Amino acid sequence: MTISVLQIEERTPPKKFALFELGFRPFFLLATLYAVVSAGLWMAVYFGGFSLVHEGLPVTYWHAHEMVFGYGIAVVAGFLLTVVHNWTGIQTIQNGKLAVLAALWLAGRLLFLFHAPWQVTAAVDSAFGLGLLLAASLPLYRAKQWHNLSIFATKVTLLVVANLLFYLGMAGILADGLRWGLYSGIYLLTALVFTMARRVVPFFIERGIGYPLQLRNSKIADLTSLVGLFGLWIAELLAPMSVWTIGFALITAGAQIVRLYWWYAKGMWSKPLIWILWGGLAALTVGLLLKAFSEWQGQVPFAAWHAITYGGIGMVTVGMMARASLGHTGRSVFEPPKILGPLFYLLAVGAAIRSLVPMVLPEMHYQAVALSLVIWMLVFAALFLLYVQMWVGPSKGR
């Protein structure tokens, strides 16, 4: 008796553990979990006086570093390894190689937390960054997608360099290393958000809004946004709190306001996976305007940084993780879990509290920080519990 290949496949039980099948699975899991853990650790430092911070390192830089080079770059890794697979049709790293890359990211977080010698932590973090660069670039190179290769390889490389600058500053080797490294990381994440948004947000809105719609895009807006953000980044490093930072912040914000107007659709408010992306871009734009206003007033732009990071980067990355995880596990992005809507609104409220309340009501600063951190942890804990089985288990239909 002969047995067909189809019969053999039908008898093969589905793979129950699929965590390392594709990049979004381990890195979105680690990112959401670390968002909760790192915020909890920050609360322990900020309110409890716990001595978790490296000696001589300002506590705010400790917190910011882990949000940018911990949480942020984990989301970037999951997104890139997944989208490159889609663009090229070439399988990105999986199984053992993917597990090793995830382990390098995790080792970097633990080494930083437990005060390992900076050289060791920097080496491990750099190994992770270079591993991500190689894993994302090789398929693009093989597929001869030179445009995508140049855009994303450059940004990942610069993120690795920015992290090294931070460590050199922490070690006292480079005087402005902490500031250069941290702010470079924030602007590079912002650049990745802008690049992603230009490619997918209008596409998602047009196909998910539920009625015919054609949104505008413009190369002039793209160029203005690119030049504005690049100029703002360089001005931040060389001439902080100057007319240059104010001017470039306004140019970048202006380009984003035009985009937000072009991409607005009144029907999106009933579509959580759409409005969270548009809302995140709006929060980021508010952050740029707050930066210009704060520096014009001669004030340190704390409100601006939190609008950009908590609001802009936080909301966009949450929306992308929620959507990509559904789509790449065989679930419908048009019928997402109903709890996502309230969670997204809660995150938006947390961003508003963290960025605006301390600026408008300085006497409520500590209460605003505490409440926004609690909201952040609740949202990410709920997201982790909602999605962990999707990330670990097999896709639907398998």
Side-chain angles (χ1 to χ4, degrees), residues 302-324:
F302 290 123
W305 289 126
H306 286 98
I308 290 170
T309 53
Y310 190 133
I313 296 172
M315 291 171 66
V316 170
T317 52
V318 162
M320 288 303 300
M321 287 193 292
R323 183 185 185 93

Side-chain angles (χ1 to χ4, degrees), residues 229-297:
L229 188 62
F230 180 77
L232 179 57
W233 173 35
I234 299 303
E236 187 73 53
L237 301 187
L238 303 181
M241 299 190 71
S242 68
V243 65
W244 296 103
T245 52
I246 295 170
F248 282 120
L250 290 175
I251 290 171
T252 312
Q256 297 313 308
I257 289 171
V258 171
R259 280 176 163 172
L260 290 169
Y261 175 76
W262 284 345
W263 298 348
Y264 181 80
K266 62 181 180 180
M268 70 183 180
W269 299 109
S270 63
K271 310 288 184 181
L273 290 177
I274 291 177
W275 75 252
I276 187 65
L277 300 177
W278 190 94
L281 293 173
L284 211 157
T285 304
V286 169
L288 291 168
L289 292 173
L290 286 174
K291 180 166 179 58
F293 175 78
S294 298
E295 299 199 1
W296 175 56
Q297 293 292 312

Side-chain angles (χ1 to χ4, degrees), residues 13-27:
K15 191 175 181 180
K16 293 183 179 180
F17 183 77
L19 181 62
F20 297 109
E21 282 193 351
L22 196 56
F24 77 93
R25 291 174 176 270
F27 283 108

Side-chain angles (χ1 to χ4, degrees), residues 59-144:
V59 292
T60 52
Y61 277 84
W62 176 85
H63 160 63
H65 178 271
E66 288 307 279
M67 296 312 299
V68 172
F69 297 105
Y71 167 78
I73 203 167
V75 179
V76 169
F79 174 78
L80 274 184
L81 293 175
T82 304
V83 77
V84 165
H85 172 65
N86 287 353
W87 289 339
T88 64
I90 299 172
Q91 179 63 58
T92 49
I93 60 170
Q94 58 182 171
N95 302 323
K97 292 180 180 178
L98 182 56
V100 169
L101 191 64
L104 282 172
W105 176 90
L106 182 59
R109 311 288 53 79
L110 293 174
L111 289 168
F112 190 76
L113 176 62
F114 292 108
H115 300 189
W118 73 269
Q119 300 94 327
V120 176
T121 310
V124 171
D125 262 358
S126 297
F128 162 74
L130 294 174
L132 173 60
L133 176 64
L134 189 64
S137 297
L138 279 178
L140 293 172
Y141 175 80
R142 290 169 182 161
K144 298 181 180 180

